[in-house]
Amino acid sequence: MSGTKPDILWAPHQVDRFVVCDSELSLYHVESTVNSELKAGSLRLSEDSAATLLSINSDTPYMKCVAWYLNYDPECLLAVGQANGRVVLTSLGQDHNSKFKDLIGKEFVPKHARQCNTLAWNPLDSNWLAAGLDKHRADFSVLIWDICSKYTPDIVPMEKVRLSAGETETTLLVTKPLYELGQNDACLSLCWLPRDQKLLLAGMHRNLAIFDLRNTSQKMFVNTKAVQGVTVDPYFHDRVASFYEGQVAIWDLRKFEKPVLTLTEQPKPLTKVAWCPTRTGLLATLIRDSNIIRLYDMQHTPTPIGDETEPTIIERSVQPCDNYIASFAWHPTSQNRMIVVTPNRTMSDFTVFERISLAWSPITSLMWACGRHLYECAEEENDNSLEKDIATKMRLRALSRYGLDTEQVWRNHILAGNEDPQLKSLWYTLHYILYIYTEDMDQKSPGNKGSLVYAGIKSIVKSSLGMVESSRHNWSGLDKQTDIQNLNEERILALQLCGWIKKGSDVDVGPFLNSLVQEGEWERAAAVALFNLDIRRAIQILNEGASSEKGDLNLNVVAMALSGYTDEKNSLWREMCSTLRLQLNNPYLCVMFAFLTSETGSYDGVLYENKVAVRDRVAFACKFLSDTQLNRYIEKLTNEMKEAGNLEGILLTGLTKDGVDLMESYVDRTGDVQTASYCMLQGSPLDVLKDERVQYWIENYRNLLDAWRFWHKRAEFDIHRSKLDPSSKPLAQVFVSCNFCGKSISYSCSTVPHQGRGFSQYGVSGSPTKSKVTSCPGCRKPLPRCALCLINMGTPVSSCPAFLFQIAAAAAAMFHFFRKSPESKKPSVPETEADGFVLLEFSGKLDIQQNLNAYTGFGKAEKNSVHIIWTSKENSSSVTVAGPETENKAGQTLESSSLMAELLSDVPFTLAPHVLAVQGTISDLPDHLLSYDVSENLSRFWYDFTLENSVLCDS
């Protein structure tokens, strides 16, 4: 353009062509260079594309603005706004369609010459072209032309206008616009609103105005300085962007009083803003003398609700080239693609890369979005890394109800897959703790150690310092004696926690050895037998293991080596065993020979063999170490377990603060909040569960179950938690609420104020212990009542059998009242006062005085009362109606087997909540009432709580 920086436009329908507008129009063709070399004369746009010049049009001087025709035909028709206000239609190619040849060179002339600032084609009616002009005191600044108009005043002569080399065409000068808008004002920018053909948004001199061509005398406008570069979001037609100097304003046409968002002001004036046509809510801005284009992502911007609501955006910056950018243009179809031009007409093809958002699904699937594509990371078939992921493990364990077995706590390690020895040790430790603690609490002996069990072996050992002496014990099968510590009460308790002996005064390890043999742990069983000075039993166990189906034949060799044991210090047997024991693969076989070859009181080869279970090492230490040595060893081992986060250390720390420290190290190392939560729930609520770390693990595990959509598993966990920690019992989430104020009626009934007001003021009659609610305690509005029994909704279901009998009596009375024949006469009875149903007698039959007025309201009965006697037999029952005078006479008898079934299937009162609540809770009601399944009709009825007296409606 003359005297200004160049502009660039993509062809709206030819995605491989664009035009550069400067002092002349240059049409370029874009082609890929991925598999081909750069052609001679082509301009490199990027690594993958190049542009070739197709044509140049220099016949339209003094260009100020250009707009590309939006229709498919003709292809290269452009409207050029000139400095004198004229709008010229020109073409950049040879158009062989004679139908549109008359449009080429057509000029639209305003009454008074002044600069044309902007042009816009109507997207709905492609023949309408809007032009925005500078201000003139006697003319309009917005002119809408119809390019197919044939009107030409007589005073304007025909002219010859040269279009291209060697061609001339007769050109029409159109001076009568279709519409004239914006008198005595200047139009700096304009755009058509896509939602309506006759709505035009114009940036005037001091305001943004919306013109409705159906009524040009009126307009909707808002005063603002941001009137330049008006553009409509192609994906949200009510969102408009405009700018002034260095500030961009975002408008919502539904709330046109003020901008919904003002972007950060730039240090230099803006030159162009444009919405991305392929991406919703992405706005690009360019400032003067800059090589950076700023992008504002409003994809997640919510629709403003209140006046003070200001949406948020994500701001980015991209640098397409190193030189200053004169203009840019989004590609109409290629996603996030734009082309930029510099002041010296250097062009660059550039793609804005999307922000990649990674997302882990609750089932450990990795997905990410890039533009319009969604990618998923697929695991290889032979890749077992997913099985090792702790989230996958916890999910599978939750499905197997891991941690919820409270009867046999040790079985939880089996539910976890029985693959982790630490989990096995943990759950066996918890099993022994709970077993010993429960036994001590049941015995209630004055010297019980129940409270000490939860503190772990570390505390147990400290409580017995200086109380134990050693003595010599004989070996079984050898003529030898060894010093062993006398087992006091604390050491026996420690051995019980280690699982070596059972609860009681007997310290025999025989049952423990038998259980190890049954599980096939031959080496461990032999080692435990040897540590208890029974070498003959150890050899026997090794022989059994060698002869078993899954046993190792090498165990016979080990048994033979043990049988040659001698306690001579310089013997060849001791020398060879000390040298070769480290070559054994099984750690228990290794520590057996370490024990036999060690000096008295020096058992480091056994105590510090890390591959041996902690419980076995601790039990060995309790038998052979003195108090001082034992305390020092337990202290050192506890610190090692805490630092490593080894769950076997729970045996030492117990469920105490030290146990929480150990569990914290375990969670930091593995992320297993599931095991941490279930383990810590076994502890004392005062000592463990109040710890912030424990609460954090529990809440994270609950959130994890919710993320997996394991609603029932999370509910089971909450129930399990509330049993072990009553203070964590969650509030009820389902309750009866008032239809007027929405407050809980159930909660209000139990928390009615006792001071300052009587219960009658809150609709509660009688004493505080009898909850008969008739109105909402919150707003005092009357509560809806069941249309059948007149019990107010929200009244707790009574556990009194009489209440249940009243419900059964209501069934019989209702059926008889509505089913009796017209010929039957109502017996006259004395006036009685009754409220609902009154139980008179029940001993093989149900005798009920029922007031028929109860179906319409409470009060005194006048003359209509029915005396119902319900007798229950094996094969039949009858409902007899009689008055007081004819009480002993036979009444109208109904056959029960068919009538009861018809009653329960037709009368919807059996679906009332208070009836459903007591169904099956009492065995004294007639069999026909209890045997009928009312659940099958449940879907046919629904409650309508909007009525004063709630009724059941058949859906």
Side-chain angles (χ1 to χ4, degrees):
M1 300 179 187
S2 58
T4 60
K5 296 179 181 180
D7 196 4
I8 190 168
L9 299 173
W10 278 102
H13 300 296
Q14 293 177 315
V15 295
D16 58 348
R17 294 187 182 187
F18 65 90
V19 63
V20 176
C21 315
D22 197 351
S23 58
E24 57 186 10
L25 299 176
S26 302
L27 180 64
Y28 290 89
H29 173 72
V30 181
E31 55 188 359
S32 176
T33 59
V34 176
N35 298 322
S36 61
E37 297 181 357
L38 186 65
K39 296 181 180 179
S42 298
L43 301 176
R44 172 71 68 180
L45 298 180
S46 66
E47 296 180 356
D48 302 331
S49 61
T52 304
L53 181 63
L54 296 181
S55 63
I56 298 177
N57 187 333
S58 57
D59 295 335
T60 52
Y62 310 111
M63 285 189 296
K64 292 298 179 181
C65 52
V66 179
W68 204 308
Y69 186 58
L70 298 180
N71 210 349
Y72 287 93
D73 197 13
E75 295 179 352
C76 296
L77 181 66
L78 290 93
V80 179
Q82 296 179 322
N84 58 2
R86 293 193 176 195
V87 179
V88 180
L89 299 183
T90 185
S91 177
L92 287 171
Q94 181 69 31
D95 200 327
H96 301 285
N97 191 342
S98 59
K99 177 181 178 181
F100 297 99
K101 281 187 177 182
D102 294 340
L103 296 178
I104 309 301
K106 198 170 188 178
E107 293 187 13
F108 303 90
V109 184
K111 294 179 181 178
H112 300 88
R114 70 261 194 208
Q115 180 174 299
C116 180
N117 297 319
T118 180
L119 295 172
W121 292 96
N122 191 312
L124 300 178
D125 190 338
S126 58
N127 293 328
W128 286 12
L129 175 64
L133 309 175
D134 277 347
K135 179 180 178 180
H136 192 279
R137 62 181 181 178
D139 201 355
F140 297 91
S141 59
V142 179
L143 304 179
I144 299 177
W145 306 93
D146 186 355
I147 63 172
C148 294
S149 174
K150 299 296 184 180
Y151 177 80
T152 304
D154 296 336
I155 60 174
V156 180
M158 294 293 183
E159 298 180 0
K160 298 284 186 174
V161 180
R162 183 173 299 276
L163 298 179
S164 59
E167 292 189 12
T168 61
E169 288 290 342
T170 301
T171 304
L172 283 175
L173 297 181
V174 180
T175 60
K176 182 64 176 178
L178 191 62
Y179 295 97
E180 295 177 318
L181 308 168
Q183 188 174 16
N184 195 22
D185 204 347
C187 180
L188 303 178
S189 62
L190 54 81
C191 65
W192 294 92
L193 300 182
R195 62 184 181 183
D196 197 310
Q197 175 188 359
K198 296 183 181 295
L199 290 180
L200 180 68
L201 176 63
M204 310 304 287
H205 181 54
R206 291 186 179 88
N207 58 69
L208 284 178
I210 299 178
F211 296 99
D212 190 346
L213 302 185
R214 292 165 293 192
N215 185 4
T216 58
S217 61
Q218 294 182 356
K219 67 177 180 179
M220 183 173 65
F221 68 92
V222 57
N223 293 326
T224 180
K225 291 183 178 180
V227 296
Q228 298 177 345
V230 175
T231 178
V232 180
D233 188 345
Y235 289 93
F236 184 16
H237 296 163
D238 288 319
R239 184 160 56 191
V240 176
S242 63
F243 68 90
Y244 170 74
E245 293 295 332
Q247 200 168 53
V248 179
I250 307 297
W251 305 83
D252 191 332
L253 299 183
R254 298 168 300 179
K255 294 182 59 179
F256 204 42
E257 297 84 8
K258 63 179 181 179
V260 295
L261 181 64
T262 302
L263 303 183
T264 306
E265 187 172 359
Q266 302 300 322
K268 295 180 181 180
L270 291 158
T271 59
K272 188 172 184 178
V273 298
W275 294 99
C276 179
T278 60
R279 170 79 144 71
T280 174
L282 185 61
L283 180 69
T285 64
L286 175 65
I287 62 176
R288 187 176 62 192
D289 300 334
S290 174
N291 60 352
I292 294 176
I293 295 177
R294 294 188 179 275
L295 303 175
Y296 299 90
D297 188 358
M298 284 168 271
Q299 182 178 8
H300 306 290
T301 301
T303 302
I305 301 175
D307 292 339
E308 303 301 327
T309 303
E310 183 171 300
T312 57
I313 61 173
I314 300 176
E315 182 178 351
R316 300 172 56 196
S317 297
V318 294
Q319 185 178 348
C321 60
D322 296 331
N323 300 325
Y324 288 161
I325 300 174
S327 183
F328 69 91
W330 290 104
H331 194 280
T333 57
S334 296
Q335 187 175 1
N336 294 357
R337 180 184 176 188
M338 66 168 59
I339 191 168
V340 299
V341 60
T342 63
N344 59 1
R345 296 176 67 94
T346 301
M347 293 164 287
S348 177
D349 192 355
F350 178 76
T351 299
V352 179
F353 291 99
E354 288 281 356
R355 293 176 296 104
I356 298 178
S357 301
L358 293 175
W360 284 100
S361 72
I363 55 174
T364 68
S365 297
L366 177 63
M367 303 188 72
W368 64 90
C370 184
R372 298 179 180 178
H373 303 283
L374 189 64
Y375 301 92
E376 180 178 4
C377 181
E379 295 287 341
E380 297 182 1
E381 296 181 357
N382 56 353
D383 188 7
N384 59 354
S385 60
L386 189 62
E387 299 177 359
K388 300 178 181 179
D389 182 70
I390 188 60
T392 304
K393 290 182 179 180
M394 287 192 293
R395 187 170 181 272
L396 295 177
R397 292 172 186 172
L399 290 174
S400 64
R401 302 187 77 252
Y402 168 72
L404 295 176
D405 195 334
T406 57
E407 297 295 331
Q408 295 178 311
V409 179
W410 61 270
R411 292 191 70 256
N412 286 298
H413 84 91
I414 300 178
L415 299 177
N418 197 17
E419 298 176 352
D420 193 338
Q422 290 192 30
L423 289 182
K424 182 177 181 180
S425 175
L426 170 68
W427 288 109
Y428 267 107
T429 299
L430 296 178
H431 170 73
Y432 294 138
I433 288 176
L434 296 176
Y435 173 74
I436 297 173
Y437 180 79
T438 304
E439 290 290 330
D440 283 341
M441 292 299 102
D442 292 341
Q443 293 177 4
K444 296 182 180 181
S445 57
N448 73 76
K449 300 292 183 179
S451 59
L452 197 59
V453 171
Y454 276 99
I457 292 180
K458 178 182 176 181
S459 299
I460 295 174
V461 169
K462 284 185 178 181
S463 65
S464 64
L465 287 177
M467 301 172 57
V468 180
E469 296 180 356
S470 63
S471 61
R472 299 187 66 82
H473 289 71
N474 294 323
W475 283 70
S476 176
L478 286 178
D479 185 12
K480 179 185 177 182
Q481 289 185 340
T482 302
D483 290 337
I484 294 182
Q485 302 295 321
N486 294 326
L487 298 180
N488 59 359
E489 189 174 352
E490 286 76 13
R491 295 205 179 205
I492 291 177
L493 182 60
L495 290 177
Q496 291 173 357
L497 288 176
C498 292
W500 277 27
I501 61 177
K502 292 185 177 182
K503 181 67 177 174
S505 58
D506 190 8
V507 292
D508 183 21
V509 296
F512 178 61
L513 295 178
N514 294 334
S515 64
L516 293 178
V517 170
Q518 291 179 359
E519 295 176 3
E521 298 185 40
W522 313 102
E523 297 85 352
R524 184 184 177 190
V528 173
L530 189 65
F531 295 157
N532 284 272
L533 308 184
D534 193 349
I535 192 172
R536 187 178 299 277
R537 180 68 187 276
I539 294 174
Q540 180 183 356
I541 291 173
L542 291 176
N543 289 330
E544 291 179 5
S547 60
S548 64
E549 295 181 359
K550 298 182 180 180
D552 187 0
L553 294 178
N554 294 326
L555 296 181
N556 281 327
V557 179
V558 178
M560 183 173 60
L562 286 179
S563 63
Y565 168 71
T566 177
D567 58 352
E568 296 181 5
K569 295 183 179 180
N570 297 325
S571 64
L572 180 62
W573 184 91
R574 182 182 293 268
E575 180 182 351
M576 294 302 298
C577 289
S578 300
T579 304
L580 299 178
R581 71 179 181 84
L582 298 178
Q583 300 179 10
L584 296 174
N585 295 327
N586 191 284
Y588 282 97
L589 298 180
C590 184
V591 297
M592 288 171 64
F593 289 101
F595 171 64
L596 293 176
T597 58
S598 61
E599 298 293 336
T600 302
S602 178
Y603 302 107
D604 291 352
V606 179
L607 297 175
Y608 296 102
E609 177 57 58
N610 294 328
K611 294 182 180 180
V612 174
V614 171
R615 64 180 60 255
D616 294 330
R617 287 188 278 162
V618 171
F620 177 88
C622 290
K623 291 182 70 68
F624 291 96
L625 297 185
S626 64
D627 286 344
T628 304
Q629 292 176 326
L630 179 61
N631 182 63
R632 189 185 306 115
Y633 173 72
I634 295 296
E635 187 74 29
K636 182 179 179 180
L637 187 60
T638 301
N639 294 333
E640 291 178 0
M641 295 293 105
K642 288 170 62 176
E643 292 177 3
N646 192 330
L647 292 181
E648 293 184 82
I650 293 293
L651 174 70
L652 307 174
T653 63
L655 299 179
T656 60
K657 293 295 182 182
D658 286 341
V660 177
D661 294 338
L662 186 149
M663 190 61 69
E664 182 180 21
S665 299
Y666 171 76
V667 173
D668 292 341
R669 180 172 58 87
T670 64
D672 187 5
V673 295
Q674 183 185 46
T675 298
S677 301
Y678 280 115
C679 175
M680 292 296 108
L681 281 175
Q682 306 292 338
S684 173
L686 297 178
D687 297 335
V688 175
L689 294 180
K690 300 303 180 183
D691 193 291
E692 294 182 357
R693 294 168 292 179
V694 176
Q695 294 298 323
Y696 179 77
W697 299 332
I698 292 175
E699 290 304 318
N700 273 273
Y701 181 57
R702 295 180 73 254
N703 295 336
L704 197 58
L705 292 175
D706 288 339
W708 290 331
R709 300 177 183 270
F710 287 176
W711 318 123
H712 289 85
K713 302 299 179 184
R714 199 256 299 156
E716 288 179 351
F717 176 76
D718 288 340
I719 296 172
H720 177 75
R721 178 187 179 187
S722 62
K723 290 179 179 179
L724 300 177
D725 180 15
S727 63
S728 66
K729 187 175 182 180
L731 296 176
Q733 300 179 13
V734 179
F735 53 86
V736 179
S737 63
C738 176
N739 217 20
F740 297 96
C741 65
K743 294 183 179 179
S744 170
I745 300 173
S746 305
Y747 295 160
S748 302
C749 293
S750 60
T751 59
V752 175
H754 289 246
Q755 297 179 356
R757 307 185 177 191
F759 279 85
S760 60
Q761 298 185 30
Y762 292 90
V764 182
S765 59
S767 64
T769 58
K770 297 180 180 180
S771 299
K772 185 178 180 182
V773 182
T774 59
S775 63
C776 173
C779 62
R780 304 187 186 180
K781 296 284 187 178
L783 296 177
R785 294 181 296 176
C786 177
L788 302 172
C789 65
L790 293 181
I791 296 177
N792 293 88
M793 300 302 167
T795 303
V797 177
S798 174
S799 59
C800 176
F803 177 79
L804 306 179
F805 299 151
Q806 292 178 18
I807 296 175
M814 280 289 293
F815 180 82
H816 174 72
F817 180 69
F818 290 111
R819 298 288 182 153
K820 65 182 182 179
S821 59
E823 292 79 9
S824 62
K825 297 181 180 180
K826 300 177 183 178
S828 59
V829 295
E831 185 176 54
T832 60
E833 182 176 348
D835 184 4
F837 302 97
V838 180
L839 179 65
L840 297 181
E841 178 185 358
F842 185 78
S843 56
K845 63 181 181 179
L846 193 62
D847 192 359
I848 298 173
Q849 178 71 30
Q850 183 254 348
N851 179 13
L852 295 181
N853 274 354
Y855 296 104
T856 57
F858 292 110
K860 292 185 177 181
E862 295 181 357
K863 293 184 179 181
N864 297 330
S865 62
V866 180
H867 192 198
I868 302 175
I869 300 177
W870 187 338
T871 60
S872 178
K873 299 180 181 179
E874 293 183 359
N875 299 324
S876 66
S877 62
S878 63
V879 178
T880 304
V881 181
E885 299 177 357
T886 59
E887 190 173 12
N888 297 326
K889 297 180 181 179
Q892 183 178 1
T893 303
L894 304 176
E895 186 179 1
S896 69
S897 58
S898 61
L899 293 181
M900 276 298 169
E902 185 180 4
L903 168 69
L904 293 176
S905 61
D906 290 344
V907 181
F909 76 87
T910 55
L911 302 177
H914 46 277
V915 178
L916 288 177
V918 301
Q919 183 192 16
T921 60
I922 184 168
S923 59
D924 294 334
L925 291 178
D927 296 337
H928 296 288
L929 278 176
L930 294 177
S931 61
Y932 192 82
D933 185 11
V934 300
S935 300
E936 64 185 28
N937 289 334
L938 187 59
S939 60
R940 295 174 50 234
F941 300 98
W942 56 278
Y943 267 93
D944 182 6
F945 285 101
T946 61
L947 304 180
E948 181 179 358
N949 290 326
S950 179
V951 297
L952 287 164
C953 307
D954 194 340
S955 59

